[in-house]
Amino acid sequence: MMKILVSDPIHTEGIEILRKAGYEVHENFDLSKDQLKNIIKDYDAIIIRSKTKMTKEIIEAGINLKVIGRAGVGLDNVDKEFAETKGIKVINTPDVSTTSVAELVMGYIISIARHIPQATESLKKGEFEKEKFSGIELAGKTIGIIGTGRIGTAVAKRAKCFEMNVIGYDPYVKYSDTIKMVDFETLLKESDVITVHVPLTDITRHMISNDEIKKMKKGVILVNAARGGIIDEEAVKKGLEDETIGGIALDVFESEKPFRSVLTAYDNFVGTPHTGAQTEEAQKRAGIEVAKKVLEQLNKMKR
Ligand code: MLT
């Protein structure tokens, strides 16, 4: 019987689909690198989220591995190129979290514009400081979307409902039906809000750093719910201190495990622990879709 290792938690409906199809499924979370390296040889497929790192070393040890299934979008924790040279199919579920991430991004922008987390904290202390929490409207402001794929486009649609002007830049895409595309410099100079929706690559790492922040409007709101490292946290720290940046919202960090960020100490920081796709709906879609796609691949290989 073919065996599937699920090394990061996925929705129970996904597990049921795999078991009903007659596969032996082992859920084994929080494995150390060495533990995973020792057991991976026993499995035909592995299902992961962002925590398990499918490095060359682990893939090499997976002598029976046929499929790596990533429940989620980002493949930065999988050495896809190497896996494919070994004949291992790598699949992900790129559409499942679009709505959840886009909704979180809008929540961030409104939270910063209206100081919702800070005002909540203040109320909890028994204070009632109306003037201190004066905010700004989003209507008429410009949002610059870096990365105009699925999630960037979903954010654009929602921002338009808030009557924002939407502009976009994408290092790989020059045309969009929904977003007015501009060059990177224009986006940096004209945006009141900048949100990034690109994968982390050698090109996008620190694509927002000191030089880019210097070009931005004073008081700009920055959002990163894509991948830690696209926005340089040290550069943001400087931007908050010299007040170029009016607010920073991060769902993803340069160091998540262990978690460290120089930005949490600042008043105008808002954050969540990588919960962009962490909704009941997105998790259910991811679990079901990854299970179906892994089965499809394993079934093809049985023939
Ligand atoms: C993703 O790439 O799908 C998201 O970052 C969510 C996750 O990995 O849990």
Side-chain angles (χ1 to χ4, degrees), residues 49-51 70-76 93 97 101 225-227 252 274 276-278 283:
R49 286 183 56 192
S50 53
K51 196 167 172 215
R70 160 73 160 103
V73 186
L75 283 171
D76 41 307
T93 61
S97 57
V101 178
R227 273 294 175 273
V252 288
H274 203 144
Q278 203 66 31
Q283 287 308 309

Side-chain angles (χ1 to χ4, degrees), residues 188 206-216 231-239 242 244-245:
L188 296 176
H206 286 188
M207 76 184 287
I208 304 278
S209 191
N210 293 308
D211 288 348
E212 291 73 28
I213 291 170
K214 273 186 210 138
K215 292 175 187 159
M216 292 177 189
I231 298 183
D232 176 353
E233 290 180 27
E234 279 294 337
V236 171
K237 181 175 183 254
K238 280 188 214 145
D242 68 19
T244 315
I245 298 174

Side-chain angles (χ1 to χ4, degrees), residues 28-47:
N28 202 345
F29 313 139
D30 300 319
L31 291 166
S32 69
K33 190 177 125 208
D34 287 338
Q35 285 169 327
L36 180 60
K37 197 175 157 195
N38 284 335
I39 64 167
I40 191 81
K41 63 179 184 320
D42 300 330
Y43 293 95
D44 300 278
I46 181 167
I47 295 183

